[in-house]
Amino acid sequence: MFSYCADPSSLEGLVWLSCYLTSGTHLLFYASFGTVLLLLAITAPIALLFGFGGAMASRSRIAPLRWFGGIYTSMVRGVPDIIFFLFVPIALDQGFEWVRHQILCDSDAPVRQGNDFVVCAAAKLPLNSAAPWVHDVYGIFLAVIAFSVVFGAFAANVLSGAMQAVPRAQLETAEAYGMSRAQVNRRVLIPQMWTYALPGLSNLWMILIKATPLLFLLGVEDIVYWARELGGSKTSAFTYPHPDWRLYYFLGILVFYLGMTWISGRVLDRVTRRLSKGQATMGGEALRKETPA
Amino acid sequence: MKSLTIAAAALMLTAGLAQAQTIRMGTEGAYAPYNFIDDATGQVTGFEIELGNAMCERAGLECTWVRNDWDSIIPNLVSSNYDTIMAGMNINEERQAVIAFTQPYTPATPSAYAALSGDVDVEGGVVAAQTNTIQAGYVAETGATLIEFPNPDQAVAAVRNGEADAILADRDFLAPIVAESGGELVWVDGMDRVALGEGIGMGLRQSDTELLATFDAQITAMKEDGTLNELIVKWFGDDALIFE
Amino acid sequence: MSCVQTIMDYGLRSIGIGERLLPRADYTLCQQATLIGSGLIWNLYFAVLALSFGFVLATALALAKTSPNPWLRKPADAFIFVFRGSPLFIQFFIAYESLVLLPRAGIDILGMTVQTSWLTRAWAGALIVLILNTAAYSAQIFHGALMSVPKGEVEAADAYGLTGWKRFRRVIWPTMLRLAWPSYTNEAIFLFHATTLVYFSGFPAFQQKGDALYYASYFADRTFNPFVAYPIAAAYFIAATLALIWIFGRVNRRLNRHLPDAASRIRYRPQLMR
């Protein structure tokens, strides 16, 4: 980073620290915060989509779809999320490659050879020749799916609760105006349910933030991976030898998460106020009294 | 589910079909001096990285390195996320049941016990080792209380802070740590050379016989012309074991 | 080796009874189911003890949070913020890393030497973290419930001449529990599932004694096949979660037995509280 960092072993004190904190591995560590934020930004909407699908499925008039919705939500609820995280990415990866193998390969060699799971070179995902960043992106993609499956189930719980909470009278009024079932859903039910869903969804967002360290279990090089890697004691084989500093790195991560949840809490409070406006709920009533007409 | 299939379909379409054969080499990146991450660049480096690159160059292969946690390093090999493992992995029977190994590229390296004092009882005390290593298996059999850590660094830390009485690991890994501890860590008396395993080899899928033969031939060639011994001396010092 | 023999050998392996060495080759389904089930003992141990101690601590914290005295309220707020605002995963790491820094020989307090080495063991160290964690979450739930105790009930208690501890014990506390119970059931499920983190984070396994997930990953690593061990573990957790929901449902019915619609079943997920 800095020109005076060429020979760190001759440096001391703050100068050494400034070089240490800007070393190549540290830059990767800082970048991994971005990975976490990126994962959050992608996972949240996808999980919401999954949740929406699940909630709609569990309200569906088609019985198998309803059962599927029910089983999906209750199964994720009954199993610790880590088990899903250990299981889903491998299963997905092998599933994708198996499908590609069936389509793209003309060999009839079996995919499972003893312990090995082998697909032909063209079916590899990503291809062996792909740039390293493609592999990283693919890893994150699998992680996003795993997170979305789990949090989608939670979101389905919240959303189906919220759909039930929308006052019956509002829906009946819409029906009285002659709207079809789909129209009622689209014009009344879905816009109205958000205010009821928001407390649950904000909770879910908080849980999602706090679940991101589990990324490290999925083999993504996230902040936990780097904190452990960088904090461990280093011998003189390394450019910056130092004793075991993991505690400091983890305290840093703790501060990061506290900051994240604190900021999120502030933002979500404002959104809640916003959505409560004009609603027939206690929150809405309180707002009405607050602002003189 | 629907968006899942769409995502899958999108991936299938976008992933190109061009394929120059690139060999992906898996390593742990946390086992200096065998393999570790260079502070300055953030890339892996070490004895195995240099050896692997040399072999690829001789064989005319294009190679890239992939870091993977030790825990899942074999499962990811057999599910074809990469093609080889060079991660200080000792050849032993249990692993040979699942993956294939080249001939060893280090002489049968001894393991060693290190502790805070030389007179620790390594058969009755608490001994730290990395999960799923031959050392962990050995400790479980000796009657000592085995305490397992996911990476070797944590195992050393456990001895330093007294959590464990001693650590059993590859001698070459422990040697610089013991030497630089300023007398804090010492070899356990009479236990600084414990013969385990048959040396460190490169792991490949059992079905990948062609690649196995390629790398095996390269190791033989590098043994014969002395370049392998040069590398060993470069990374492990003058008194390291070398091939005859 | 028959399955009965396997169960005899490994059924209590996770607490150190039975065969010392784990199976090394030819893993059977029976071995996997037995060992993973044996590991579940630890999950139950952590969940039951953490919930019991956490419950008491949470009640105290919730009361401190409502207190008008800032010397009580501020620390309670800070405690709840830190434990609710950070991932349990990180809390485990930090707890382990700091507990191992305690002096090995023990600390001298008033001439007595207090041993500290047991604190770094999962059974104690991880339990403490889980207690503090669940206490923070439960305190938040209890605080919410405490705020919604109907004013009329408190006034009625006053009219009967109940004061202080008696008023709390006989009127406020039962109502608070009744209101908080559905959310608290949720918290209990979350905590039970969080016990799987213990051996996956800072705390090392001793003599290969670990929880259900520890053995599941042991087998998944050895057989290189995640499609057997993890589903077994998942099945155990579903069964245990159902049992937990049933127990909490019974308690809920007892808490609501004086109300007209007491028979109504608990909706254990009215809102995702955590």
Side-chain angles (χ1 to χ4, degrees), chain B residues 52-61 217-218 221-223 225 227-228:
Chain B
N53 286 340
M55 288 196 291
C56 287
E57 202 184 312
R58 282 158 169 255
L61 296 167
Q218 292 309 326
M222 289 185 71
K223 267 184 188 169
D225 66 14
T227 40
L228 183 53

Side-chain angles (χ1 to χ4, degrees), chain A residues 77-80 82-83 86-87 90-91 94 112 154 157-158 199 203-204 207 210 213-214 216-217 224 228 246-247 250-251 253-254 257-258 261-262, chain C residues 81-82 84-87 89-90 93-94 97-98 101 137 186 189-190 193 196-197 200 213 226-227 230-231 233-234 237-238 241 269 271-274:
Chain A
R77 202 76 181 80
V79 180
I82 318 165
I83 294 188
L86 291 172
F87 180 78
I90 300 181
Q94 298 198 352
R112 282 221 166 262
F154 290 160
N157 265 330
V158 173
N203 246 315
L204 197 55
I207 303 176
K210 285 175 270 172
L214 299 179
F216 146 84
L217 296 180
V224 177
R228 250 171 43 163
R246 274 175 300 182
L247 188 56
F250 279 113
L251 285 175
I253 293 186
L254 183 78
Y257 277 109
L258 288 179
T261 45
W262 187 76
Chain C
F81 172 69
V82 168
R84 287 186 78 226
S86 61
F89 202 61
I90 305 293
F93 269 120
I94 292 181
E97 295 291 335
S98 359
L101 292 180
Y137 281 100
N186 247 313
I189 296 171
F190 261 104
H193 289 177
T196 49
L197 275 177
F200 255 89
L213 196 58
F227 298 99
Y230 291 134
F237 273 100
I238 290 178
T241 307
R269 40 174 213 226
Q271 240 186 37
L272 202 66
M273 283 301 285
R274 182 153 189 166

Side-chain angles (χ1 to χ4, degrees), chain B:
Chain B
M1 270 336 267
K2 199 174 166 198
S3 57
L4 234 175
T5 38
I6 292 172
L11 260 169
M12 283 169 198
L13 291 175
T14 48
L17 294 170
Q19 40 188 298
Q21 199 49 296
T22 306
I23 308 296
R24 290 167 54 78
M25 320 259 277
T27 190
E28 188 195 5
Y31 207 58
Y34 288 92
N35 56 75
F36 58 99
I37 300 172
D38 186 3
D39 301 343
T41 60
Q43 302 295 318
V44 279
T45 178
F47 165 67
E48 287 171 326
I49 313 306
E50 210 168 299
L51 173 65
N53 286 340
M55 288 196 291
C56 287
E57 202 184 312
R58 282 158 169 255
L61 296 167
E62 203 176 308
C63 297
T64 57
W65 290 91
V66 183
R67 278 197 301 269
N68 198 92
D69 263 359
W70 176 260
D71 284 355
S72 56
I73 205 161
I74 293 182
N76 275 317
L77 174 74
V78 295
S79 63
S80 300
N81 286 348
Y82 37 77
D83 307 303
T84 69
I85 296 176
M86 291 183 86
M89 187 177 276
N90 274 288
I91 302 172
N92 73 352
E93 250 175 67
E94 211 179 312
R95 290 180 183 136
Q96 269 172 328
V98 185
I99 59 174
F101 280 100
T102 59
Q103 56 176 311
Y105 51 75
T106 65
T109 50
S111 298
Y113 283 98
L116 295 181
S117 72
D119 54 356
V120 166
D121 175 15
V122 294
E123 310 246 303
V126 179
V127 179
Q130 190 179 7
T131 319
N132 269 338
T133 55
I134 53 169
Q135 287 89 6
Y138 179 78
V139 173
E141 277 168 13
T142 58
T145 302
L146 169 64
I147 169 171
E148 295 169 281
F149 292 88
N151 72 35
D153 199 55
Q154 284 170 296
V156 177
V159 178
R160 282 224 165 89
N161 61 42
E163 172 90 60
D165 297 330
I167 173 178
L168 179 62
D170 281 326
R171 195 176 194 284
D172 289 330
F173 165 73
L174 288 176
I177 297 173
V178 170
E180 287 174 30
S181 67
E184 189 193 5
L185 288 172
V186 293
W187 300 117
V188 175
D189 299 333
M191 288 299 200
D192 64 337
R193 276 173 203 281
V194 183
L196 296 176
E198 304 157 27
I200 292 169
M202 177 195 257
L204 296 103
R205 277 184 297 282
Q206 286 169 342
S207 52
D208 224 353
T209 45
E210 212 174 300
L211 198 61
L212 177 70
T214 313
F215 279 115
D216 229 1
Q218 292 309 326
I219 294 174
T220 311
M222 289 185 71
K223 267 184 188 169
E224 275 167 7
D225 66 14
T227 40
L228 183 53
N229 280 344
E230 279 170 31
L231 271 182
I232 292 177
V233 171
K234 175 182 169 192
W235 285 98
F236 300 108
D238 292 328
D239 51 353
L241 282 177
I242 53 171
F243 287 102
E244 302 291 310

Side-chain angles (χ1 to χ4, degrees), chain C residues 165-221:
Chain C
W165 169 248
K166 223 171 190 176
R167 187 181 70 167
F168 174 74
R169 170 69 193 81
R170 310 227 354 221
V171 180
I172 300 177
W173 192 66
T175 306
M176 175 197 91
L177 266 192
R178 184 170 63 79
L179 295 174
W181 205 254
S183 300
Y184 188 65
T185 307
N186 247 313
E187 161 60 21
I189 296 171
F190 261 104
L191 182 89
F192 177 52
H193 289 177
T195 57
T196 49
L197 275 177
V198 171
Y199 291 100
F200 255 89
S201 47
F203 288 88
F206 255 72
Q207 286 181 318
Q208 300 180 313
K209 297 180 210 161
D211 76 331
L213 196 58
Y214 172 83
Y215 290 116
S217 72
Y218 175 87
F219 284 115
D221 283 351

